[in-house]
Amino acid sequence: MRGRPKENIEVKKKFTRTYYDFPSKPELGGKSVWHYDLDKYPNGPYLVEHFDPTFDKLEKLYNKLERLQTPKYHENGRKKRTTKADKIKMETTERAYWKEHYKLFPEDKPKKRGRKKKTSNV
């Protein structure tokens, strides 16, 4: 062989890259994580995850509500009873969840039914 011998440069085959919508202030916008594995997919990423901050609060409230609604058990396997405080927590969390849901999706809000309230022209 002629010329300079090859240098042994190790190339990473598996890595991730994170891109922010606003790189100067990442807390403002969304972010996306690109996962690469050059052994399996040499031309590009095999997985792209998008994280949208507008739905983070809604997702957290949903997870909290699910966690509160799952029954708790004693060590011996018997189900624990749900107390009044637990029910109040579930109600407030559910109310907060639907409030946030209707803020993001106003078209899902149920129509108001019943008679219209009379207004006085005094």
Side-chain angles (χ1 to χ4, degrees):
M1 283 196 268
R2 295 169 54 191
R4 190 172 174 190
K6 279 187 180 180
E7 295 180 15
N8 291 335
I9 300 172
E10 291 186 26
V11 178
K12 284 188 177 180
K13 296 285 186 177
K14 203 169 188 179
F15 57 94
T16 61
R17 286 192 179 151
T18 306
Y19 298 103
Y20 295 99
D21 289 349
F22 301 104
S24 59
K25 292 187 177 180
E27 65 275 358
L28 284 182
K31 85 174 185 183
S32 59
V33 181
W34 296 47
H35 300 269
Y36 292 88
D37 189 358
L38 298 179
D39 292 331
K40 290 184 181 178
Y41 301 95
N43 295 332
Y46 67 91
L47 175 67
V48 178
E49 294 177 305
H50 293 285
F51 298 101
D52 194 6
T54 55
F55 300 107
D56 283 348
K57 186 175 179 185
L58 189 67
E59 193 173 347
K60 283 180 187 175
L61 285 169
Y62 179 77
N63 291 337
K64 182 178 179 182
L65 188 61
E66 287 292 313
R67 190 178 67 247
L68 287 172
Q69 286 177 344
T70 54
K72 283 111 182 129
Y73 294 95
H74 289 284
E75 295 88 38
N76 60 5
R78 291 183 57 176
K79 192 187 284 188
K80 286 185 180 180
R81 65 173 56 146
T82 52
T83 60
K84 191 173 183 179
D86 293 338
K87 288 182 182 177
I88 291 171
K89 275 185 193 175
M90 285 167 45
E91 284 177 16
T92 55
T93 306
E94 190 170 6
R95 216 175 286 129
Y97 171 78
W98 285 112
K99 184 178 178 185
E100 189 67 26
H101 179 84
Y102 293 142
K103 196 185 297 180
L104 293 172
F105 305 104
E107 67 275 0
D108 287 351
K109 200 168 196 174
K111 294 178 183 174
K112 293 188 178 181
R113 297 186 177 254
R115 294 185 178 180
K116 293 183 179 178
K117 293 181 180 177
K118 292 184 180 180
T119 56
S120 60
N121 296 333
V122 176

